[in-house]
Amino acid sequence: MLDMPGGEEASYYLLLRVFQVAAVVFVTSGFMTGSPYGSQSAYSGALAVDGRLGWIVMELVSPAALLCSYLASSTAGPQAQYSAVTHVMCGLWVLHYANRALVYPLRQASRKPMHIGVVLASCMFNTVNGYLNGRWLSVFSNGLYTNAYWDVYQGRALLGLSLFVLGMAGNIYHDNVLMNLRQPGAQPAPGSARKYLVPCGGLFALVSCPHYFCEVVEWAGFAVLTQSPAAWAFVFGAAGNLLPRAYQIHKWYQREFPGYPANRKAMIPYVI
């Protein structure tokens, strides 16, 4: 981290402010440049890396950064304040990334190559995000997470935990829908000879990218549960990344599939 007057706390809050502002940049650049991977990418140049390997590496950075910052303590700086509550919150983060970084990519039949710049940019984002959230839980929450936290903030904690679980379950369910479209015997949508198919089921009735919507709901639940400004910054950063991507995918579906359901929005039901 930066070494500046005020020690780690000043550096932490400076980085947090930068991270919060960056969400606006993600939205703007995402709508301008489109999606740099997946169905929206055809990159195969000299800087291409294996899509599955690139995904695993960049996603594993997040739990690694969170755990390193959470477990770190310093005799020259702020001391970590651990509790069963902080352990549970860290466990939820690791649970999410165990699925996203390992289970999800290893279940896929294949992934398109990725530009190495996408991998490096994601690693940078995940490093900062993991640090901010891990250090908040162990240090900069200033003793908020005592073992009495569940009783004092019972309603908030229950709401946040419920949103997290529902969001993660929805994310996995809709990922499964997309994976099943690639199974042997699956038929292309009417009027299309392409290998990509129109997904149906669950929230696909309302939006083109319900897996993205559910992921944002999941992290919003984490933010409600933790009351963490770092977690809320992540929610807006994730939305800033996923909303433009969902919009581009939505437009792609409309171009590629004649008769694509006109009532579907891109990511947020009935909104966009």
Side-chain angles (χ1 to χ4, degrees), residues 11-84:
S11 301
Y12 178 89
Y13 282 103
L14 173 61
L15 186 59
L16 177 60
R17 287 193 292 271
V18 171
F19 195 66
Q20 290 167 333
V21 172
V24 178
V25 178
F26 294 151
V27 174
T28 304
S29 62
F31 278 112
M32 292 176 61
T33 63
S35 300
Y37 57 91
S39 64
Q40 309 304 295
S41 172
Y43 183 76
S44 58
L47 296 178
V49 297
D50 179 80
R52 180 180 282 113
L53 178 61
W55 179 273
I56 291 173
V57 169
M58 69 187 194
E59 292 294 297
L60 279 179
V61 167
S62 183
L66 178 116
L67 289 174
C68 286
S69 62
Y70 175 72
L71 295 173
S73 61
S74 172
T75 56
Q79 294 298 299
Q81 303 172 41
Y82 301 122
S83 70

Side-chain angles (χ1 to χ4, degrees), residues 3 8 47 55 102 127-128 138 141 147 151 155 162 186 192 201 214 239 249 255 261 270:
D3 184 14
E8 185 188 0
L47 296 178
W55 179 273
L102 297 174
T127 298
V128 174
S138 63
S141 53
N147 289 331
D151 296 324
S162 298
S192 174
C214 289
I249 291 174
R255 291 194 305 269
Y270 309 111

Side-chain angles (χ1 to χ4, degrees), residues 170-269:
N171 184 263
I172 293 172
Y173 169 81
H174 293 101
D175 278 341
N176 287 339
V177 171
L178 292 173
M179 288 181 190
N180 289 336
L181 293 180
R182 311 289 181 83
Q183 297 299 317
Q187 298 298 315
S192 174
R194 294 180 177 270
K195 63 180 180 179
Y196 288 101
L197 312 174
V198 174
C200 299
L203 290 178
F204 279 112
L206 300 176
V207 294
S208 295
C209 297
H211 46 315
Y212 294 164
F213 173 70
C214 289
E215 185 162 351
V216 173
V217 168
E218 181 182 357
W219 288 121
F222 186 83
V224 170
L225 172 65
T226 61
Q227 306 185 52
S228 164
W232 279 115
F234 181 28
V235 172
F236 292 114
N241 174 47
L242 295 176
L243 184 56
R245 176 167 168 75
Y247 180 79
Q248 297 292 336
I249 291 174
H250 181 66
K251 292 299 182 184
W252 180 84
Y253 273 129
Q254 291 177 325
R255 291 194 305 269
E256 296 297 323
F257 294 95
Y260 187 73
N263 65 314
R264 288 191 190 182
K265 299 296 185 180
M267 189 176 105
I268 304 175

